[in-house]
Amino acid sequence: MLSVFTSPSRYVQGRGATAALGAEMAALGLEGPVLVVAGRSAEAMLGAAWAESFRKAGLVHVVHRFGGQSSRAEIERVNEAARAAGARTIVGAGGGKAVDTGRASAHELGLSFVSCPSLASSDAPCSAVSVVYTESGEVEEIRFLPRNPDLVVVDTEVVAKSPARFLVAGMGDAAATWFEAKACAESHARNTRGGASTRSALALAELCWRTLLEDGESALRAVERQVVTPSLERLVEANTLLSGLGFESAGLAAAHSIHNGLTDAPGTHGRLHGEKVSFGLCAQLALEGAPRETVRQVLGFATAVGLPVTLAEVGLADLDAAMLRRIAERSTQPGESIHNEPFAVEPAAVADAILAADAEGRAFLARAGRR
Ligand SMILES: [Zn+2]
């Protein structure tokens, strides 16, 4: 098996990075006209900065108001707008769904793609993955596209102004990266590109986890005050770049499959991706029989930043046996990344791991005097 490492062509991050968008695109040879796919709030906050930045770089641009759902119909509307504008590059700006829609459309039309997330809430911005939803919000399709973004621009001043809950959810998604990467390496699993992992991907995944431990709490304090600090910069890089490179080039394992299982339970629907992944990670550690020290470290980190470690915290305070079985079965469907664990995984073991993780999380909170 060949080793494969995949990444965006360029990653740019910092305070006021939006002002450099046009120049960074021009430096890479990305051409206009540019179609910016953005929701109402991203456009209100950044519209003037985009206009200025594109004008200086000599790029013509048009903004397409994102309809709110990364659905087939919305991708088709973006395709229409891109054709009408004669676009050569699509910029997906704002939340994950606007970015995913822009990415999917750029692929369908064979255009260049730039990712400009306004949140550090998941590791999707650097990836070549677009999630397509039904109009009512269920996951319909996960598209693994051939190319990563040509450019990723993260403006930390914008991230600092977003609700703290999104940054914390991003930490939940990022916390799983190292533990899932390690499981994949142990089992010699294929990564999202069908290749073997690299030492580079593993080193980045481990750095991601160390950065969360070091900077997670202080970055959260920074976002609560809406200020940009070196700690926030490092944490945003961990949530966005390190976690993105780690999951795509090393691979996912049980935490994300258990997340997928949890989405079957209506109680979890108000929870963000990274919040469910956080409990998924707790269950992965229980499933693996992870060392006591590791469990303590993960629970310590998660509870310090306010990530879920119990079923109640992901909206499943009264989970019944039938729903538990359904979650466990969904988590272990063929093709799920849980099968990247270095041992065979059965639904019964997952159901028990979920209950064990919940008990562990509740005991930890009780000891910490948090309930
Ligand atoms: Zn994720």
Side-chain angles (χ1 to χ4, degrees):
M1 196 188 341
L2 299 174
S3 297
V4 180
F5 183 89
T6 189
S7 73
S9 303
R10 188 166 296 177
Y11 179 84
V12 177
Q13 178 191 306
R15 183 198 293 272
T18 307
L21 176 60
E24 290 293 335
M25 286 172 61
L28 284 164
L30 304 181
E31 295 173 343
V34 179
L35 182 78
V36 181
V37 179
R40 188 184 304 273
S41 60
E43 193 186 355
M45 188 164 34
L46 299 171
W50 291 330
E52 172 76 359
S53 179
F54 288 134
R55 188 188 56 73
K56 280 190 182 153
L59 295 166
V60 175
H61 86 287
V62 179
V63 177
H64 169 83
R65 170 65 59 78
F66 178 56
Q69 191 52 269
S70 171
S71 62
R72 285 172 197 264
E74 182 62 18
I75 292 165
E76 198 40 56
R77 283 191 285 274
V78 173
N79 289 350
E80 281 307 312
R83 284 192 201 101
R88 303 290 302 274
T89 302
I90 293 182
V91 173
K97 289 188 174 183
V99 172
D100 275 11
T101 301
R103 182 181 1 240
S105 170
H107 168 67
E108 288 188 4
L109 301 177
L111 305 179
S112 302
F113 178 65
V114 179
S115 170
C116 295
S118 58
L119 306 169
S121 60
S122 84
D123 55 18
C126 291
S127 78
V129 182
S130 267
V131 183
V132 180
Y133 297 82
T134 62
E135 290 298 334
S136 53
E138 274 105 48
V139 174
E140 185 173 24
E141 195 189 335
I142 297 176
R143 295 188 186 174
F144 290 88
L145 307 177
R147 290 172 59 91
N148 291 73
D150 294 280
L151 172 66
V152 178
V153 175
V154 185
D155 189 332
T156 39
E157 208 174 338
V158 173
V159 172
K161 292 196 171 105
S162 66
R165 184 182 172 194
F166 290 110
L167 187 81
V168 172
M171 294 190 220
D173 204 19
T177 306
W178 165 235
F179 299 95
E180 296 190 274
K182 226 173 12 166
C184 289
E186 261 175 61
S187 62
H188 299 278
R190 290 175 189 272
N191 62 24
T192 57
R193 294 285 158 205
S197 191
T198 51
R199 286 168 61 82
S200 310
L202 280 176
L204 294 170
E206 187 176 19
L207 178 60
C208 180
W209 174 234
R210 281 196 278 120
T211 308
L212 295 179
L213 291 176
E214 182 67 25
D215 290 303
E217 282 186 77
S218 48
L220 172 57
R221 299 288 96 80
V223 166
E224 284 167 351
R225 288 302 308 268
Q226 305 200 330
V227 295
V228 179
T229 61
S231 194
L232 179 66
E233 293 282 2
R234 292 192 292 264
L235 194 278
V236 168
E237 181 187 332
N239 280 12
T240 313
L241 182 64
L242 294 173
S243 178
L245 298 176
F247 102 79
E248 238 184 345
S249 288
L252 297 174
H256 269 78
S257 287
I258 292 167
H259 158 277
N260 295 343
L262 291 173
T263 60
D264 262 12
T268 67
H269 286 178
R271 313 297 154 143
L272 298 170
H273 172 81
E275 294 170 342
K276 285 173 280 189
V277 170
S278 172
F279 182 72
L281 172 59
C282 297
Q284 173 175 328
L285 297 178
L287 184 69
E288 291 173 340
R292 200 71 213 136
E293 181 52 32
T294 305
V295 174
R296 249 187 242 122
Q297 192 179 43
V298 168
L299 289 175
F301 166 73
T303 54
V305 297
L307 279 165
V309 297
T310 66
L311 283 168
E313 289 175 314
V314 289
L316 299 176
D318 22 59
L319 178 65
D320 62 29
M323 184 54 81
L324 176 62
R325 200 174 320 120
R326 186 167 153 189
I327 292 169
E329 269 158 20
R330 167 80 192 269
S331 308
T332 50
Q333 276 175 7
E336 275 294 340
S337 58
I338 203 165
H339 302 298
N340 287 341
E341 292 288 335
F343 46 85
V345 179
E346 299 293 334
V350 175
D352 284 358
I354 287 172
L355 295 180
D358 176 58
E360 198 73 78
R362 282 189 287 120
F364 193 90
L365 288 174
R367 267 198 304 278
R370 294 187 202 224
R371 55 182 290 182

